[in-house]
Amino acid sequence: MRAIFNSVSDMLVHYAPCPVLVVPYPLLDRERAALDKGPVVVGWDGSAGAATALQAAERLFADRTIRPVFVHDGDEPLAAAPLGLTTVPRVGLPAEHGRAIALSLAGQAGAEHAALIVVGSVGRSALSEIMLGSVAMAALHHAHRPVLLVPHRYESER
């Protein structure tokens, strides 16, 4: 518990009013090679947070290919699919919802040689995320490439 609450990156992604890019150390050679030209994988489930993350990715990485990815876990998307949506199956145990979704996103990012993964946050407290399992937090802890976390309250038009 101390490691989670004392992590600077965890605290930043909970309280920053703007997107936060977390880069793992060390990056593997193939992830480092993808930084310059790789596409941007955006986790998409049709929620308002996912729409905000997709808009932020399109704005911040206008020169990159944006690949929205829906992880099919038995539910259907909450909204109409964006152009170029890729659907992948969820991996992992049902009890580990957030981690399973994050691992599926990371797997797709690896298959696409993506430069980074972009996910939106829903604005839960740190304690709620520990108890419920946040996709965003799981991506930060388990993806072996940079993760851009876009807060649910971010306005990408700034």
Side-chain angles (χ1 to χ4, degrees), residues 20 26 42 49 53 58 60-62 67 85-86 89 95 97 106 108 116 119-120 126-127 132 134 136 144 147-149:
V20 175
V42 180
E58 289 169 341
L60 294 169
F61 302 100
R67 302 233 197 260
L85 181 69
T86 300
H97 177 77
Q108 186 63 27
L116 70 144
V119 291
L127 185 58
L132 299 173
S134 161
H144 299 289
V147 174
L148 181 71
L149 185 82

Side-chain angles (χ1 to χ4, degrees), residues 26-92:
L27 278 177
L28 301 174
D29 287 341
R30 69 176 169 251
E31 282 79 20
R32 184 178 300 280
L35 291 176
D36 289 339
K37 297 180 237 167
V40 176
V41 166
V42 180
W44 188 86
D45 62 1
S47 67
T52 300
L54 182 58
Q55 289 170 355
E58 289 169 341
R59 182 175 163 266
L60 294 169
F61 302 100
D63 62 331
R64 299 289 180 103
T65 300
I66 306 295
R67 302 233 197 260
V69 175
F70 173 67
V71 178
H72 193 276
D73 64 348
D75 295 332
E76 291 303 314
L78 300 172
L83 283 173
L85 181 69
T86 300
T87 300
V88 298
R90 185 180 78 170
V91 297

Side-chain angles (χ1 to χ4, degrees), residues 70-141:
F70 173 67
V71 178
H72 193 276
D73 64 348
D75 295 332
E76 291 303 314
L78 300 172
L83 283 173
L85 181 69
T86 300
T87 300
V88 298
R90 185 180 78 170
V91 297
L93 300 172
E96 298 178 325
H97 177 77
R99 185 174 183 182
I101 300 288
L103 289 173
S104 296
L105 286 173
Q108 186 63 27
E112 302 242 6
H113 304 290
L116 70 144
I117 299 170
V118 178
V119 291
S121 75
V122 295
R124 289 188 189 131
S125 70
L127 185 58
S128 294
E129 288 184 354
I130 291 167
M131 300 304 287
L132 299 173
S134 161
V135 172
M137 295 309 289
L140 289 174
H141 291 280

